[in-house]
Amino acid sequence: MPYPTHASVAERAPSGLRQVRHELQHRLETLARLHRVPGAQLVLDTGSEVVALHTGVADVATGAPFTADTAVPLGSLTKPYTAALVLLLADDGDLDPDEPVARILPELRGLPEVTVRQLLSHTGGLPTGPDSDTAARTTAAHYLSSVCTARDALFPPGTDFSYSNAGYVAAGRLVAEVTGMSWHEAVQALLLEALGTVPAFLGAGAPPRQVAAGHALNTATGRVRPVRQNLAPLEAPAGALLASAADLCALGRALVGRSAVLPSAVVAEMRRPERAAGPNALADGWGPGLALYRQDDRLWCGHDGNAQGTSCHLRADPASGVVVAFTGNAGAATALWRDLAEDLARTAGVRVPTATAAGYRGEPVPLPECAGDYVNGSTQYRVALERDGSPTLSVDGDVPIPLLCYPDLSCDLVDTDTGRRESGGRFHRDRATGVVDRVQISGRTARRSCPA
């Protein structure tokens, strides 16, 4: 049975819309209990109607209620805001998206060909950068000069994709150099206030609004407990923003042209697919600052974000103007979001893409040539073979997890508890030699350092 069109929510008003609200509220509460998520928000904006829901508590330690205005640590969903800020500066003529970043930031002179656009679309070949604890002990300039080197480059700029926090640290530095303001000041003055978002940031003192704590499940006690955020200050442009689902929805409206906050030229830039950023485990494509998701014959835009113990998601359909935003204050909220998306299709007639449409092809095959060590900056990936020849993957020496490989060199990760397959990524061959020389896992590319 086909799903109804996006217009179906509006067509049910007023009594039908009340029923949609009731059903979605019930499902949000039920799924939050099922997935052990203390609190969550959902906003569905069809262009003519808005359904805004919330449930639960913001912090299990205090019992403070999770309201419609509660701000949640967005993690990487900060990146679209930073990209929009950079492209607003470009639209004003303050910089050129296709100029080398090193012309403005001398700390990137080790990679003189990387452009602003490549930073924002993760196609510059930059490693992801050191962990937050390491980054907290240095400056942004030293951080960038130490990781943005020819030695650590993952591939020639503009030829592939690798998700990189370092690229957004550089983007924040660009903003500071061009505006004379800190990233915090610039994003507040030039974007957040125009969107109607009360600014709140990790590590910036007492926020001017209620903030949700992130939560994790204590497997020993079976209880959900608050966790501490540990983002380094210099990583703020990559992940420091706090916002509600309603705030995310305001950005989504701008991204589909339903708001004058972002000029049409900026929106077009952000939604334009980059040729080097093909389908991967994170999305079906990428523009500068936005992930692109294919659903049926439509290409949605948006982004996902995870801080410590939070999971936040934004999806916007330029064709229909529909915007969907979700926040949850536990890591398990990612599964809640996926289940809730199925309910949106059934209840409201809105089919929301939650992940990449790419999946495994054919039956798994042995690929012993892929075994070996791969590196992305300081992160080490090891693909090893078990006695029966089946491959496993470990990251920085963690417990190996099963890996399923396919004839097209794509691979799936296997959850050892549930057996569920998740799109892992893909191995790549050197075009000249045909040897497997790179692997992309969960959107991050690593260069081969040695065979098994």
Side-chain angles (χ1 to χ4, degrees):
M1 177 179 178
Y3 290 107
T5 66
H6 290 322
S8 62
V9 173
E11 289 169 355
R12 298 181 185 185
S15 60
L17 182 60
R18 286 197 297 270
Q19 180 63 24
V20 168
R21 291 179 187 274
H22 175 77
E23 291 184 26
L24 286 176
Q25 181 70 48
H26 173 70
R27 289 299 294 160
L28 181 63
E29 295 169 358
T30 300
L31 290 170
R33 288 193 299 269
L34 175 66
H35 292 289
R36 310 287 295 277
V37 176
Q41 300 163 329
L42 172 70
V43 176
L44 165 64
D45 184 340
T46 69
S48 58
E49 301 288 347
V50 177
V51 177
L53 310 170
H54 58 273
T55 189
V57 297
D59 188 332
V60 297
T62 66
F66 207 127
T67 73
D69 295 325
T70 300
V72 181
L74 296 183
S76 287
L77 240 171
T78 301
K79 292 181 174 71
Y81 289 87
T82 297
L85 179 59
V86 171
L87 292 174
L88 279 171
L89 297 174
D91 191 60
D92 285 341
D94 295 323
L95 55 83
D96 180 350
D98 294 309
E99 70 176 312
V101 184
R103 291 182 183 175
I104 303 174
L105 300 183
E107 53 263 44
L108 263 78
R109 59 182 175 269
L111 295 174
E113 297 178 356
V114 175
T115 67
V116 175
R117 184 187 307 277
Q118 290 164 352
L119 283 186
L120 301 180
S121 60
H122 304 286
T123 58
L126 276 64
T128 191
D131 61 74
S132 293
D133 290 337
T134 301
R137 298 193 294 268
T138 187
T139 65
H142 184 268
Y143 170 103
L144 291 171
S145 63
S146 65
V147 303
C148 299
T149 67
R151 180 194 62 215
D152 290 322
L154 302 170
F155 46 79
T159 64
D160 205 344
F161 175 92
S162 187
Y163 192 86
S164 172
N165 277 0
Y168 275 78
V169 173
R173 286 277 296 120
L174 277 176
V175 169
E177 286 295 312
V178 170
T179 65
M181 296 184 283
S182 69
W183 172 83
H184 296 78
E185 294 168 335
V187 76
Q188 175 177 340
L190 302 180
L191 188 56
L192 296 181
E193 291 178 355
L195 288 169
T197 297
V198 176
F201 307 95
L202 289 177
R209 58 192 296 189
Q210 184 194 45
V211 172
H215 296 84
L217 178 65
N218 186 322
T219 55
T221 65
R223 294 181 178 179
V224 173
R225 59 179 178 82
V227 294
R228 182 180 66 88
Q229 303 295 325
N230 71 341
L231 191 77
L234 64 84
E235 295 178 294
L241 191 61
L242 302 112
S244 66
D247 295 326
L248 291 176
C249 205
L251 175 64
R253 284 191 288 269
L255 293 174
V256 297
R258 290 176 46 206
S259 165
V261 171
L262 295 180
S264 58
V266 169
V267 171
E269 282 282 350
M270 295 184 72
R271 295 191 337 221
R272 182 177 295 119
E274 292 294 319
R275 293 179 62 184
N280 55 59
L282 299 179
D284 297 305
W286 288 82
L290 288 180
L292 306 174
Y293 306 90
R294 189 164 298 283
Q295 178 66 56
D296 301 325
D297 61 343
R298 301 174 188 248
L299 196 63
W300 292 59
C301 62
H303 211 285
D304 297 327
N306 298 94
Q308 275 71 39
T310 70
S311 185
C312 304
H313 308 269
L314 174 65
R315 298 291 186 271
D317 178 16
S320 66
V322 169
V323 179
V324 180
F326 170 85
T327 68
N329 61 352
T334 301
L336 191 166
W337 155 246
R338 291 174 179 172
D339 287 348
L340 199 59
E342 296 181 4
D343 289 312
L344 281 169
R346 176 183 56 80
T347 303
V350 178
R351 299 190 67 182
V352 183
T354 56
T356 175
Y360 66 89
R361 301 172 185 174
E363 292 299 318
V365 296
L367 283 176
E369 62 181 314
C370 295
D373 292 338
Y374 303 78
V375 296
N376 175 316
S378 60
T379 304
Q380 297 185 339
Y381 299 81
R382 165 159 289 191
V383 178
L385 300 178
E386 298 295 298
R387 291 185 178 182
D388 62 358
S390 59
T392 62
L393 171 72
S394 62
V395 181
D396 287 338
D398 285 347
V399 176
I401 59 175
L403 194 67
L404 296 179
C405 300
Y406 301 95
D408 65 353
L409 296 186
S410 64
C411 59
D412 285 341
L413 303 173
V414 181
D415 188 307
T416 54
D417 293 328
T418 66
R420 179 176 177 174
R421 300 178 182 183
E422 294 281 354
S423 179
R426 183 180 300 275
F427 292 91
H428 294 268
R429 297 186 188 277
D430 180 272
R431 294 183 179 179
T433 66
V435 174
V436 172
D437 67 339
R438 284 170 294 155
V439 64
Q440 189 183 88
I441 297 293
S442 298
R444 290 172 171 82
T445 296
R447 294 182 292 106
R448 192 166 197 158
S449 58
C450 65

